[in-house]
Amino acid sequence: NAGVTQTPKFQVLKTGQSMTLQCAQDMNHEYMSWYRQDPGMGLRLIHYSVGAGITDQGEVPNGYNVSRSTTEDFPLRLLSAAPSQTSVYFCASSYLRGRGGTEAFFGQGTRLTVV
Amino acid sequence: DQQVKQNSPSLSVQEGRISILNCDYTNSMFDYFLWYKKYPAEGPTFLISISSIKDKNEDGRFTVFLNKSAKHLSLHIVPSQPGDSAVYFCAASPWGGATNKLIFGTGTLLAVQP
C-alpha cells in the first residue's frame, strides 16, 4: 500500500519556468490537499479538493493552479515560478468519518528551489 | 494572524523522562485537533488526535489533553525515547473532523538525550 506518492522529490527551476508537482493516492480518499512548509511558518494550505472535479483555494493560493480529474490524482501547477515559491511542498489525503474525524495522510514532500 | 500557536520552538528532555509539548489556539470554532511528528526529509506522520467533546485521549506512550476554556492542548510523551526526537506539529480543524483544511502551528523541535 503506497499511500500518498509525490514526484519529483527535488526540483530546481529558473524564475519564470512552469512545472507540475504530481500527487497520487491509492486509498480512495475523497479529500486531497496541498501545503507548503517554510522555515518558522509551519504548513500552510495552498489548495484543496473534496472530490473529483471540485477544488478550492486555501490560505496561500496565488501562483498555483490545481485540478482534480480523478479521485487518485491531484497535481499542483506552478505557472511562472518565482523565488518566493522556494519551499517544501506536501500533498495530503483524507476522508470524513462522521463526527469523529480522521487523520490526513501526507506524502514525503517535494523540495523546490527557484533561482 | 496565527490561529494555532506553538510558542516553544524547541525542547530538550532526558531519555525516560516526560516530554510536554504545548499548543494554543484562538478560533473557538476548531473542534478537532491532531498532533503530527516530522523527521527531516520526510512527510508529517499522524500521532494522535482529540475531538472537542473530549478532554483526554491516550495511545500508548502518547496522551493529548484538551482544555477548551483555555483554548490549550498539550501532548505528553512518557517515557521519552531517543527515537521521539523530531519536530512536532499541532494542527486544528473547524470542519466537524474533516481534515482537508488543517491549520498548523509552527512546530516544536523535540530532542531526547540518551
Side-chain angles (χ1 to χ4, degrees), chain A residues 4 13 18-19 33 46 56-57 63 74 78 86 102 107 110:
Chain A
V4 179
L13 286 180
S18 63
M19 80 159 293
S33 310
I46 305 171
D56 205 346
Q57 297 181 351
F74 191 42
L78 283 71
T86 294
T102 184
T110 295

Side-chain angles (χ1 to χ4, degrees), chain B residues 28-101:
Chain B
S28 57
M29 296 299 293
F30 290 153
D31 63 359
Y32 190 61
F33 302 90
L34 308 91
W35 285 93
Y36 280 85
K37 176 180 179 179
K38 186 182 180 303
Y39 292 118
E42 294 186 9
T45 55
F46 171 74
L47 202 54
I48 193 168
S49 62
I50 188 166
S51 166
S52 60
I53 62 174
K54 296 184 176 181
D55 56 17
K56 178 182 174 181
N57 189 27
E58 285 182 88
D59 185 1
R61 296 186 297 115
F62 303 93
T63 302
V64 56
F65 296 92
L66 175 62
N67 182 333
K68 284 186 64 179
S69 60
K71 294 190 178 68
H72 177 83
L73 63 155
S74 61
L75 174 68
H76 292 209
I77 306 173
V78 184
S80 301
Q81 299 173 353
D84 295 329
S85 297
V87 176
Y88 289 78
F89 289 100
C90 170
S93 170
W95 310 106
T99 50
N100 59 328
K101 295 168 64 176

Side-chain angles (χ1 to χ4, degrees), chain B residues 16-29:
Chain B
R17 306 295 292 268
I18 185 172
S19 295
I20 300 176
L21 294 91
N22 294 304
C23 179
D24 297 294
Y25 61 96
T26 59
N27 190 338
S28 57
M29 296 299 293

